[in-house]
Amino acid sequence: PDCDLYLTDLQFGIPAVLNGLAQDLTKVAPANSDLFNEQIIFKPLDALGGTYLFTEQGLPQSGIYMGYNATMIEELGLEQPRELYKKGQWNWEKFAEYAKKGIRDNDGDGVTDVYGYGGVFTDFVNGLVMNNGGSIAGSKTEGLSSKPVMEALEFINRLYNVDKSARPWTWEDWNDNLLAWSDGKVMFWTAQAWLNKQEIDAAAADGGSLPFEFHVVPYPTGPSGDGKAYSPVQGNWYMIPVGVKDADKVFQIFEEFMNWHQGDTDLRDDPTWFESCFLDDEDVELAYMCGSNLKVDLWNSLNGFDFGATIWSPIVVDKTSTPAQAVEAAKPVLQDALNNAFK
């Protein structure tokens, strides 16, 4: 190999692991390593049958969740979704019920002005699929035709084409989908910390604040979900390639180097920015929780497979296919992409 350590995006790191090009750290690092104990320095990627990929430990700030307009919820006389989540009642049926009630025609012209849900499809698909116990490309075998994924696609079809509570998708302007929430055009949306912060700061720069109160809640649990809140694995991860001599020493040196804080996580973790992305501490804690339970799914990073073109558009935009028809046409394309990635 060219070097002793690689820092890699998962779309390259996972194929390297599956093709035997990365070392299993359970056979390299000493048993008393921080990686297998307190995990103050490193966080392992617990997948793929061993510990091959790892990253620097830190605050779990990369979670995805749903944002919601708490002012609209209150005006409708509905219980706040955060409270439903705490009672174990935040599921797809409750979300669909709320989304239908969020539809508004403000000026009475027969045209919907506010939808129950709207946001970017990438996070929405991950949120629904992962919190229904599924994955689209989480292994060498395509997951589109699996029960959890089919349930998620049928639910998406329900929101967009049956209940019509989801805001129509536009390919022309990504930000029109992404920022509909801060314009007050949707009651629920796909949320991340950076997006909250961006719109909070934009309103402040104009001399004011967002004209409504908002909060976050984990994605609702689907019929095949286990009730935990999950988010996709993101970011770059380290690996030690096969062929590196004295890999145990390489890992030990790197672990010592990355322990510059000597276990004082207050030096390592500054929560100031993350906390400024939310309106209260309860949202911060929920966001941390969503970022703590991570799943691997490569569907949005595979060469040769375009979920938007093969699944999302036929079902949601063009409305030319049922979920079953779209999956039947797309699953061999996805399997070919997986075969190419993992060969």
Side-chain angles (χ1 to χ4, degrees):
D2 298 322
C3 54
D4 292 337
L5 280 161
Y6 282 103
L7 180 63
T8 173
D9 185 272
L10 291 177
Q11 64 178 312
F12 305 112
I14 288 180
V17 171
L18 294 179
N19 285 282
L21 300 177
Q23 299 206 34
D24 185 352
L25 297 179
T26 61
K27 301 175 182 177
V28 172
N32 63 353
S33 167
D34 169 82
L35 189 66
F36 306 125
N37 294 283
E38 294 182 272
Q39 295 182 2
I40 295 173
I41 306 169
F42 290 133
K43 174 173 62 179
L45 182 63
D46 293 325
L48 311 174
T51 302
Y52 300 90
L53 299 164
F54 62 103
T55 192
E56 185 178 6
Q57 189 61 272
L59 295 172
Q61 299 179 347
S62 63
I64 62 170
Y65 15 86
M66 301 201 83
Y68 67 88
N69 189 315
T71 302
M72 287 187 192
I73 296 286
E74 185 175 354
E75 290 171 352
L76 290 170
L78 301 174
E79 189 171 5
Q80 294 290 323
R82 288 193 315 194
E83 299 305 312
L84 293 172
Y85 173 75
K86 286 189 285 188
K87 295 192 292 187
Q89 298 174 4
W90 185 233
N91 53 41
W92 286 5
E93 287 303 315
K94 184 60 69 174
F95 171 60
E97 173 193 328
Y98 271 40
K100 285 184 71 173
K101 292 179 178 178
I103 300 172
R104 292 186 183 184
D105 175 9
N106 290 332
D107 51 15
D109 63 355
V111 177
T112 300
D113 299 301
V114 179
Y115 287 87
Y117 162 76
V120 295
F121 79 88
T122 47
D123 286 347
F124 193 50
V125 169
N126 270 328
L128 292 180
V129 168
M130 289 185 174
N131 290 286
N132 195 40
S135 65
I136 295 171
S139 70
K140 290 184 177 182
T141 303
E142 63 85 17
L144 273 176
S145 56
S146 65
K147 180 173 180 284
V149 175
M150 285 301 306
E151 288 174 339
L153 297 179
E154 290 287 358
F155 185 65
I156 289 169
N157 183 66
R158 171 184 171 181
L159 295 175
Y160 279 90
N161 300 324
V162 180
D163 296 350
K164 298 183 178 179
S165 57
R167 187 170 183 266
W169 178 265
T170 173
W171 285 116
E172 288 73 25
D173 185 356
W174 186 267
N175 281 341
D176 182 62
N177 308 292
L178 181 69
L179 302 179
W181 72 276
S182 55
D183 292 332
K185 296 178 180 178
V186 295
M187 192 165 73
F188 288 93
W189 60 89
T190 53
Q192 291 192 58
W194 67 268
L195 180 57
N196 294 352
K197 179 66 170 173
Q198 171 184 292
E199 296 307 286
I200 290 171
D201 288 350
D206 289 336
S209 60
L210 291 171
F212 54 84
E213 183 178 356
F214 76 91
H215 294 299
V216 300
V217 67
Y219 274 84
T221 300
S224 297
D226 61 9
K228 294 181 180 179
Y230 294 98
S231 293
V233 172
Q234 301 183 58
N236 294 317
W237 294 71
Y238 294 103
M239 71 175 216
I240 298 178
V242 168
V244 169
K245 296 180 180 180
D246 299 322
D248 56 337
K249 294 179 181 178
V250 169
F251 181 82
Q252 180 184 352
I253 292 169
F254 191 52
E255 186 175 65
E256 292 174 359
F257 172 72
M258 296 298 280
N259 190 28
W260 58 269
H261 48 75
Q262 294 296 304
D264 186 346
T265 56
D266 288 337
L267 288 176
R268 185 196 65 199
D269 301 332
D270 182 359
T272 306
W273 176 85
F274 194 69
E275 291 173 352
S276 72
C277 300
F278 304 91
L279 300 187
D280 64 26
D281 290 341
E282 187 173 348
D283 279 350
V284 173
E285 293 305 315
L286 283 173
Y288 277 144
M289 181 192 67
C290 291
S292 298
N293 300 319
L294 302 177
K295 283 189 174 183
V296 175
D297 201 336
L298 295 178
W299 65 268
N300 199 30
S301 301
L302 285 175
N303 291 324
F305 176 69
D306 187 338
F307 183 95
T310 59
I311 300 293
W312 188 257
S313 276
I315 297 173
V316 171
V317 184
D318 302 328
K319 306 181 190 299
T320 55
S321 300
T322 66
Q325 289 169 336
V327 166
E328 190 63 27
K331 66 181 184 180
V333 179
L334 173 57
Q335 189 59 60
D336 285 346
L338 287 167
N339 292 344
N340 288 333
F342 295 154
K343 73 181 181 181

